[in-house]
Amino acid sequence: MSRVDPSLEHRLKAAIADRKDELEQLASHLVSLDTTARAPEDPPRRESELQELLAERLRHAGSSVDIWEPAARDIACWARQVGTEELSFDGRPQLVARWAGDGDGRSLIFNGHIDVVAAEPIERWSVPPFAGEVVDGRLVGRGAADMKGGVAAMVIAAETVIAECGPLAGDLIVNTVTDEESTGAGTLACIAAGLTADAVVVPEPTGFDVWVACRGSLTPTFRVIGRAGHAELPQPSWRDGGAVNAIEKLRVVLDAVESLRKTWLNCDQERHSFLSPGTIVPVLVNGGEWFVTYPAEARLTCELMYLPASADEHGEGRTKERELAEWIMRAVERSGDEWLIEHPPEIEWGSDIPPAEIDPSHPLVGTVSAAAVDVGLQTRLAGFDSWYDGASFVRTRGIPAVAFGPPETASAHVVDESVAVDDLVRCAQALALTAVRWCGIA
């Protein structure tokens, strides 16, 4: 951590406090632009408008700005994570704004995603989810916490650092991306385009904790086949051509999933200092073709979270895929169900979002933690049981990344999502101190 004149740091904090209204207005404007996350086939919303808004102000603040729409081929090597080779970035540009360093200091990226989860059920909100209203000192709206408030804070922090300090010794970079809520494709596209630095800070809603680890996820779908037949008529044995109820056969898979979850919960290999054990949770189920017909097929989709230590040599979840497949097959054999033994469940694999972690003693962790304390915040080291874009920098390029920002994660993805404006100010102050201490003064 570079030594910085305390009077300069005091000036930085005061300058950001003076920009509170501007920070509130920027965050509110970002929330007002609907950038709801998409399925691959969905049309773009207002992503381009938001990125152009940021590009204009960051150019005005003296940075060089690159804004572009990647091609699907740019991230083809990460097809397991993205889950499709046909992902289009049309209308969903990525942004990299850089203030070049004027010395031999370390470089730093502030990375933030601009996409948000769907606002439904909209009728339950106390204010329109894309109005960007401030109520009793809190910005309310979809994305206020996750993470347009954090994006606004990192933009104000970077602008203020450059205005007060001039060029730092190392590069300072603001990177805003799409698609974090679905696949992480936006950050991957930036990495593919050559984005790199000595460290990354992502102002996700961590409750001002410093996240040093996150779990990865797999999305298996089990397909169980049956045999159609009239549901209101007696059926002979299936070996004599009778119907087989695929929904009932799915019970064996459900029981196996529950058993595996309990096994992982009590397994020493699933222990981690900052993360919960791996788990698997049923999230979608469907089956049947007609209400008076034995269902010929049933499908169960699960969400499987796994720890960094469970990743294979490529940092991915193939080891967990094999473990799950073998567990299900053993459960089928133990069930003694002759139909399932002869017609075993099939597994279709969705995306594989890799986990990541960094050494808690890494200098980046200490720099961010100390900056938080020095702006009056309480902080601790923690992990994220879900996933965030910082993991992509760690896994693909070995770049240390942490998450740090307001409010707590429980404020995200909920009706009346909100963040305190005062917390955005403190976040921006901590990010500013992090930048000058990490990059150094030229």
Side-chain angles (χ1 to χ4, degrees):
M1 182 170 60
S2 299
R3 292 183 178 274
V4 180
D5 184 348
S7 65
L8 173 60
E9 293 193 345
H10 179 76
R11 191 167 76 244
L12 271 176
K13 290 187 287 185
I16 290 173
D18 288 343
R19 298 180 73 180
K20 175 181 176 180
D21 289 346
E22 183 184 357
L23 174 53
E24 177 185 309
Q25 291 166 9
L26 175 58
S28 177
H29 194 170
L30 298 182
V31 168
S32 74
L33 301 175
D34 181 358
T35 53
T36 301
R38 47 82 177 262
E41 65 275 7
D42 288 346
R45 297 183 186 250
R46 302 179 73 178
E47 293 90 341
S48 289
E49 183 179 351
L50 189 154
Q51 294 285 51
E52 291 291 351
L53 164 74
L54 292 178
E56 181 179 357
R57 69 175 293 145
L58 291 168
R59 287 192 190 100
H60 182 72
S63 73
S64 61
V65 178
D66 189 9
I67 182 169
W68 79 104
E69 294 176 357
R73 63 178 178 274
D74 296 344
I75 56 172
C77 60
W78 295 301
R80 274 180 63 88
Q81 177 168 336
V82 177
T84 176
E85 297 179 356
E86 305 300 325
L87 190 71
S88 171
F89 287 100
D90 293 348
R92 295 181 173 91
Q94 315 306 309
L95 181 150
V96 175
R98 183 187 305 270
W99 290 272
D102 189 18
D104 58 357
R106 298 171 295 192
S107 53
L108 178 66
I109 295 170
F110 290 149
N111 166 275
H113 67 86
I114 65 167
D115 57 322
V116 301
V117 298
E120 280 75 19
I122 291 176
E123 67 276 6
R124 297 185 185 177
W125 286 70
S126 63
V127 301
F130 297 108
E133 294 187 21
V134 176
V135 181
D136 296 330
R138 298 187 69 87
L139 172 62
V140 182
R142 178 54 83 224
D146 187 15
M147 61 170 290
K148 289 180 176 178
V151 168
M154 75 187 198
V155 167
I156 293 294
E159 291 175 348
T160 306
V161 165
I162 298 303
E164 296 293 327
C165 305
L168 300 179
D171 289 2
L172 180 60
I173 301 163
V174 166
N175 172 219
T176 51
V177 301
T178 66
D179 294 284
E180 189 271 353
E181 295 288 4
S182 52
T183 62
T187 288
L188 290 175
C190 293
I191 292 170
L195 178 61
T196 189
D198 293 310
V200 179
V201 178
V202 186
E204 288 273 11
T206 72
F208 291 126
D209 291 339
V210 180
W211 289 346
V212 296
C214 68
R215 296 193 296 185
S217 67
L218 296 164
T219 308
T221 295
F222 302 95
R223 176 177 177 263
V224 175
I225 62 169
R227 181 184 289 159
H230 200 303
E232 296 175 344
L233 299 179
Q235 294 290 328
S237 164
W238 65 266
R239 292 199 181 276
D240 296 324
V244 177
N245 192 317
I247 292 176
E248 291 181 347
K249 299 300 180 185
L250 192 61
R251 185 181 297 118
V252 172
V253 178
L254 277 166
D255 289 345
V257 165
E258 181 181 5
S259 174
L260 181 58
R261 182 171 65 248
K262 292 178 179 178
T263 297
W264 284 345
L265 182 63
N266 297 298
C267 177
D268 288 341
Q269 293 179 335
E270 294 290 333
R271 298 285 180 263
H272 191 283
S273 299
F274 302 108
L275 299 171
S276 298
T279 191
I280 180 169
V281 180
V283 292
L284 293 171
V285 63
N286 58 74
E289 298 75 39
W290 186 245
F291 69 96
V292 288
T293 300
Y294 274 82
E297 180 177 308
R299 300 169 70 88
L300 171 70
T301 299
C302 294
E303 190 68 1
L304 186 159
M305 306 302 298
Y306 65 101
L307 297 177
S310 297
D312 63 17
E313 65 273 18
H314 303 293
E316 297 174 336
R318 289 182 176 87
T319 301
K320 282 299 184 185
E321 289 180 0
R322 290 192 296 270
E323 181 180 353
L324 176 60
E326 293 169 0
W327 185 275
I328 296 298
M329 288 310 303
R330 286 197 297 270
V332 168
E333 292 168 1
R334 287 195 301 269
S335 74
D337 188 308
E338 295 181 357
W339 171 268
L340 281 179
I341 291 171
E342 295 187 25
H343 305 82
E346 301 171 2
I347 306 179
E348 301 168 2
W349 294 99
S351 57
D352 179 3
I353 312 294
E357 61 182 341
I358 69 170
D359 189 337
S361 65
H362 191 280
L364 174 66
V365 179
T367 301
V368 177
S369 298
V373 170
D374 289 344
V375 299
L377 295 169
Q378 293 184 337
T379 188
R380 64 187 178 94
L381 300 190
F384 188 32
D385 281 337
S386 184
W387 182 91
Y388 76 107
D389 267 331
S392 290
F393 291 100
V394 177
R395 280 299 186 186
T396 64
R397 294 293 183 267
I399 301 171
V402 299
F404 167 85
E408 64 280 355
T409 312
S411 299
H413 297 204
V414 300
V415 169
D416 283 348
E417 177 182 347
S418 69
V419 60
V421 176
D422 285 343
D423 282 346
L424 294 182
V425 172
R426 283 188 282 268
C427 178
Q429 290 172 327
L431 293 175
L433 294 189
T434 296
V436 296
R437 293 174 180 182
W438 181 262
C439 299
I441 302 298

mmCIF file of all heavy atoms in Angstrom, residues 256-280:
data_model
loop_
_atom_site.group_PDB
_atom_site.id
_atom_site.type_symbol
_atom_site.label_atom_id
_atom_site.label_comp_id
_atom_site.label_asym_id
_atom_site.label_seq_id
_atom_site.Cartn_x
_atom_site.Cartn_y
_atom_site.Cartn_z
ATOM 1 N N ALA A 256 -32.826 -38.419 -4.070
ATOM 2 C CA ALA A 256 -31.364 -38.468 -4.190
ATOM 3 C C ALA A 256 -30.759 -37.075 -4.050
ATOM 4 O O ALA A 256 -29.709 -36.887 -3.421
ATOM 5 C CB ALA A 256 -30.970 -39.095 -5.521
ATOM 6 N N VAL A 257 -31.409 -36.079 -4.634
ATOM 7 C CA VAL A 257 -30.931 -34.706 -4.527
ATOM 8 C C VAL A 257 -30.938 -34.248 -3.070
ATOM 9 O O VAL A 257 -29.979 -33.644 -2.580
ATOM 10 C CB VAL A 257 -31.789 -33.776 -5.410
ATOM 11 C CG1 VAL A 257 -31.562 -32.311 -5.048
ATOM 12 C CG2 VAL A 257 -31.488 -34.013 -6.884
ATOM 13 N N GLU A 258 -32.022 -34.540 -2.356
ATOM 14 C CA GLU A 258 -32.098 -34.161 -0.946
ATOM 15 C C GLU A 258 -31.022 -34.863 -0.131
ATOM 16 O O GLU A 258 -30.377 -34.258 0.743
ATOM 17 C CB GLU A 258 -33.479 -34.496 -0.393
ATOM 18 C CG GLU A 258 -33.650 -34.116 1.068
ATOM 19 C CD GLU A 258 -35.014 -34.485 1.620
ATOM 20 O OE1 GLU A 258 -35.804 -35.125 0.888
ATOM 21 O OE2 GLU A 258 -35.295 -34.126 2.772
ATOM 22 N N SER A 259 -30.791 -36.117 -0.418
ATOM 23 C CA SER A 259 -29.772 -36.876 0.303
ATOM 24 C C SER A 259 -28.375 -36.323 0.045
ATOM 25 O O SER A 259 -27.556 -36.218 0.969
ATOM 26 C CB SER A 259 -29.843 -38.349 -0.117
ATOM 27 O OG SER A 259 -28.796 -39.096 0.452
ATOM 28 N N LEU A 260 -28.095 -35.942 -1.204
ATOM 29 C CA LEU A 260 -26.780 -35.394 -1.526
ATOM 30 C C LEU A 260 -26.567 -34.055 -0.824
ATOM 31 O O LEU A 260 -25.478 -33.771 -0.319
ATOM 32 C CB LEU A 260 -26.649 -35.236 -3.039
ATOM 33 C CG LEU A 260 -25.303 -34.702 -3.542
ATOM 34 C CD1 LEU A 260 -24.153 -35.590 -3.096
ATOM 35 C CD2 LEU A 260 -25.321 -34.563 -5.070
ATOM 36 N N ARG A 261 -27.596 -33.229 -0.781
ATOM 37 C CA ARG A 261 -27.481 -31.940 -0.103
ATOM 38 C C ARG A 261 -27.124 -32.143 1.367
ATOM 39 O O ARG A 261 -26.257 -31.445 1.914
ATOM 40 C CB ARG A 261 -28.786 -31.164 -0.243
ATOM 41 C CG ARG A 261 -28.732 -29.775 0.393
ATOM 42 C CD ARG A 261 -29.951 -28.935 0.048
ATOM 43 N NE ARG A 261 -31.182 -29.482 0.584
ATOM 44 C CZ ARG A 261 -32.177 -29.992 -0.155
ATOM 45 N NH1 ARG A 261 -32.068 -30.039 -1.473
ATOM 46 N NH2 ARG A 261 -33.277 -30.454 0.419
ATOM 47 N N LYS A 262 -27.775 -33.073 2.031
ATOM 48 C CA LYS A 262 -27.489 -33.336 3.443
ATOM 49 C C LYS A 262 -26.077 -33.895 3.621
ATOM 50 O O LYS A 262 -25.397 -33.573 4.604
ATOM 51 C CB LYS A 262 -28.519 -34.317 4.002
ATOM 52 C CG LYS A 262 -29.929 -33.727 4.104
ATOM 53 C CD LYS A 262 -30.925 -34.766 4.612
ATOM 54 C CE LYS A 262 -32.326 -34.180 4.743
ATOM 55 N NZ LYS A 262 -33.310 -35.198 5.193
ATOM 56 N N THR A 263 -25.629 -34.714 2.676
ATOM 57 C CA THR A 263 -24.281 -35.272 2.755
ATOM 58 C C THR A 263 -23.235 -34.175 2.663
ATOM 59 O O THR A 263 -22.276 -34.136 3.453
ATOM 60 C CB THR A 263 -24.073 -36.298 1.631
ATOM 61 O OG1 THR A 263 -24.982 -37.391 1.813
ATOM 62 C CG2 THR A 263 -22.643 -36.836 1.639
ATOM 63 N N TRP A 264 -23.391 -33.268 1.718
ATOM 64 C CA TRP A 264 -22.434 -32.167 1.578
ATOM 65 C C TRP A 264 -22.439 -31.265 2.806
ATOM 66 O O TRP A 264 -21.403 -30.761 3.224
ATOM 67 C CB TRP A 264 -22.755 -31.347 0.323
ATOM 68 C CG TRP A 264 -22.347 -32.013 -0.953
ATOM 69 C CD1 TRP A 264 -21.498 -33.081 -1.088
ATOM 70 C CD2 TRP A 264 -22.753 -31.660 -2.274
ATOM 71 N NE1 TRP A 264 -21.359 -33.414 -2.413
ATOM 72 C CE2 TRP A 264 -22.117 -32.556 -3.165
ATOM 73 C CE3 TRP A 264 -23.600 -30.684 -2.795
ATOM 74 C CZ2 TRP A 264 -22.285 -32.488 -4.548
ATOM 75 C CZ3 TRP A 264 -23.772 -30.607 -4.166
ATOM 76 C CH2 TRP A 264 -23.126 -31.505 -5.033
ATOM 77 N N LEU A 265 -23.602 -31.045 3.388
ATOM 78 C CA LEU A 265 -23.711 -30.169 4.547
ATOM 79 C C LEU A 265 -22.857 -30.673 5.707
ATOM 80 O O LEU A 265 -22.336 -29.893 6.507
ATOM 81 C CB LEU A 265 -25.174 -30.052 4.983
ATOM 82 C CG LEU A 265 -25.481 -29.132 6.161
ATOM 83 C CD1 LEU A 265 -25.113 -27.687 5.817
ATOM 84 C CD2 LEU A 265 -26.953 -29.235 6.548
ATOM 85 N N ASN A 266 -22.671 -31.979 5.803
ATOM 86 C CA ASN A 266 -21.942 -32.585 6.918
ATOM 87 C C ASN A 266 -20.579 -33.135 6.505
ATOM 88 O O ASN A 266 -19.983 -33.907 7.263
ATOM 89 C CB ASN A 266 -22.781 -33.708 7.533
ATOM 90 C CG ASN A 266 -24.079 -33.203 8.132
ATOM 91 O OD1 ASN A 266 -24.064 -32.404 9.063
ATOM 92 N ND2 ASN A 266 -25.203 -33.638 7.586
ATOM 93 N N CYS A 267 -20.093 -32.728 5.331
ATOM 94 C CA CYS A 267 -18.843 -33.268 4.806
ATOM 95 C C CYS A 267 -17.686 -32.328 5.116
ATOM 96 O O CYS A 267 -17.761 -31.118 4.853
ATOM 97 C CB CYS A 267 -18.964 -33.474 3.290
ATOM 98 S SG CYS A 267 -17.453 -34.061 2.510
ATOM 99 N N ASP A 268 -16.602 -32.866 5.678
ATOM 100 C CA ASP A 268 -15.444 -32.043 6.006
ATOM 101 C C ASP A 268 -14.844 -31.394 4.765
ATOM 102 O O ASP A 268 -14.291 -30.284 4.832
ATOM 103 C CB ASP A 268 -14.374 -32.897 6.706
ATOM 104 C CG ASP A 268 -14.777 -33.280 8.122
ATOM 105 O OD1 ASP A 268 -15.679 -32.615 8.676
ATOM 106 O OD2 ASP A 268 -14.206 -34.241 8.663
ATOM 107 N N GLN A 269 -14.909 -32.063 3.629
ATOM 108 C CA GLN A 269 -14.349 -31.505 2.400
ATOM 109 C C GLN A 269 -15.138 -30.298 1.904
ATOM 110 O O GLN A 269 -14.674 -29.585 1.015
ATOM 111 C CB GLN A 269 -14.306 -32.580 1.310
ATOM 112 C CG GLN A 269 -13.324 -33.705 1.613
ATOM 113 C CD GLN A 269 -13.324 -34.761 0.529
ATOM 114 O OE1 GLN A 269 -14.300 -34.939 -0.184
ATOM 115 N NE2 GLN A 269 -12.199 -35.466 0.410
ATOM 116 N N GLU A 270 -16.324 -30.083 2.459
ATOM 117 C CA GLU A 270 -17.149 -28.947 2.054
ATOM 118 C C GLU A 270 -17.022 -27.774 3.028
ATOM 119 O O GLU A 270 -17.858 -26.870 3.027
ATOM 120 C CB GLU A 270 -18.616 -29.382 1.951
ATOM 121 C CG GLU A 270 -18.888 -30.379 0.841
ATOM 122 C CD GLU A 270 -18.756 -29.757 -0.539
ATOM 123 O OE1 GLU A 270 -18.950 -28.534 -0.679
ATOM 124 O OE2 GLU A 270 -18.426 -30.503 -1.493
ATOM 125 N N ARG A 271 -15.968 -27.765 3.824
ATOM 126 C CA ARG A 271 -15.763 -26.667 4.760
ATOM 127 C C ARG A 271 -14.931 -25.562 4.104
ATOM 128 O O ARG A 271 -13.980 -25.825 3.385
ATOM 129 C CB ARG A 271 -15.053 -27.165 6.016
ATOM 130 C CG ARG A 271 -15.853 -28.215 6.785
ATOM 131 C CD ARG A 271 -17.007 -27.562 7.543
ATOM 132 N NE ARG A 271 -17.767 -28.564 8.283
ATOM 133 C CZ ARG A 271 -18.891 -29.116 7.842
ATOM 134 N NH1 ARG A 271 -19.381 -28.779 6.665
ATOM 135 N NH2 ARG A 271 -19.535 -30.025 8.552
ATOM 136 N N HIS A 272 -15.292 -24.306 4.372
ATOM 137 C CA HIS A 272 -14.563 -23.155 3.847
ATOM 138 C C HIS A 272 -14.669 -22.028 4.865
ATOM 139 O O HIS A 272 -15.694 -21.854 5.505
ATOM 140 C CB HIS A 272 -15.148 -22.718 2.499
ATOM 141 C CG HIS A 272 -14.300 -21.722 1.761
ATOM 142 N ND1 HIS A 272 -14.247 -20.383 2.098
ATOM 143 C CD2 HIS A 272 -13.477 -21.870 0.689
ATOM 144 C CE1 HIS A 272 -13.426 -19.759 1.276
ATOM 145 N NE2 HIS A 272 -12.941 -20.621 0.419
ATOM 146 N N SER A 273 -13.592 -21.255 5.008
ATOM 147 C CA SER A 273 -13.570 -20.206 6.030
ATOM 148 C C SER A 273 -14.605 -19.120 5.781
ATOM 149 O O SER A 273 -15.104 -18.496 6.730
ATOM 150 C CB SER A 273 -12.179 -19.572 6.088
ATOM 151 O OG SER A 273 -11.203 -20.525 6.440
ATOM 152 N N PHE A 274 -14.955 -18.874 4.506
ATOM 153 C CA PHE A 274 -15.827 -17.743 4.201
ATOM 154 C C PHE A 274 -17.065 -18.122 3.399
ATOM 155 O O PHE A 274 -17.856 -17.238 3.052
ATOM 156 C CB PHE A 274 -15.041 -16.681 3.417
ATOM 157 C CG PHE A 274 -13.821 -16.178 4.136
ATOM 158 C CD1 PHE A 274 -12.561 -16.527 3.700
ATOM 159 C CD2 PHE A 274 -13.944 -15.377 5.256
ATOM 160 C CE1 PHE A 274 -11.430 -16.072 4.353
ATOM 161 C CE2 PHE A 274 -12.819 -14.918 5.928
ATOM 162 C CZ PHE A 274 -11.551 -15.265 5.484
ATOM 163 N N LEU A 275 -17.259 -19.382 3.117
ATOM 164 C CA LEU A 275 -18.374 -19.813 2.275
ATOM 165 C C LEU A 275 -19.136 -20.966 2.927
ATOM 166 O O LEU A 275 -18.569 -21.748 3.690
ATOM 167 C CB LEU A 275 -17.869 -20.278 0.902
ATOM 168 C CG LEU A 275 -17.142 -19.239 0.048
ATOM 169 C CD1 LEU A 275 -16.516 -19.910 -1.174
ATOM 170 C CD2 LEU A 275 -18.088 -18.128 -0.375
ATOM 171 N N SER A 276 -20.414 -21.071 2.599
ATOM 172 C CA SER A 276 -21.212 -22.215 3.029
ATOM 173 C C SER A 276 -20.810 -23.449 2.223
ATOM 174 O O SER A 276 -20.211 -23.335 1.143
ATOM 175 C CB SER A 276 -22.695 -21.934 2.804
ATOM 176 O OG SER A 276 -23.118 -20.824 3.563
ATOM 177 N N PRO A 277 -21.126 -24.652 2.725
ATOM 178 C CA PRO A 277 -20.823 -25.857 1.948
ATOM 179 C C PRO A 277 -21.533 -25.847 0.600
ATOM 180 O O PRO A 277 -22.494 -25.101 0.379
ATOM 181 C CB PRO A 277 -21.363 -26.984 2.839
ATOM 182 C CG PRO A 277 -21.431 -26.403 4.205
ATOM 183 C CD PRO A 277 -21.741 -24.954 4.020
ATOM 184 N N GLY A 278 -21.046 -26.673 -0.296
ATOM 185 C CA GLY A 278 -21.746 -26.857 -1.551
ATOM 186 C C GLY A 278 -23.156 -27.377 -1.306
ATOM 187 O O GLY A 278 -23.439 -27.991 -0.272
ATOM 188 N N THR A 279 -24.046 -27.112 -2.245
ATOM 189 C CA THR A 279 -25.434 -27.534 -2.077
ATOM 190 C C THR A 279 -26.062 -27.781 -3.431
ATOM 191 O O THR A 279 -25.505 -27.404 -4.468
ATOM 192 C CB THR A 279 -26.235 -26.472 -1.292
ATOM 193 O OG1 THR A 279 -27.495 -27.006 -0.915
ATOM 194 C CG2 THR A 279 -26.465 -25.229 -2.119
ATOM 195 N N ILE A 280 -27.224 -28.414 -3.425
ATOM 196 C CA ILE A 280 -28.001 -28.606 -4.640
ATOM 197 C C ILE A 280 -29.477 -28.455 -4.273
ATOM 198 O O ILE A 280 -29.944 -29.063 -3.301
ATOM 199 C CB ILE A 280 -27.709 -29.970 -5.312
ATOM 200 C CG1 ILE A 280 -28.556 -30.129 -6.578
ATOM 201 C CG2 ILE A 280 -27.881 -31.124 -4.350
ATOM 202 C CD1 ILE A 280 -28.143 -31.311 -7.436
#
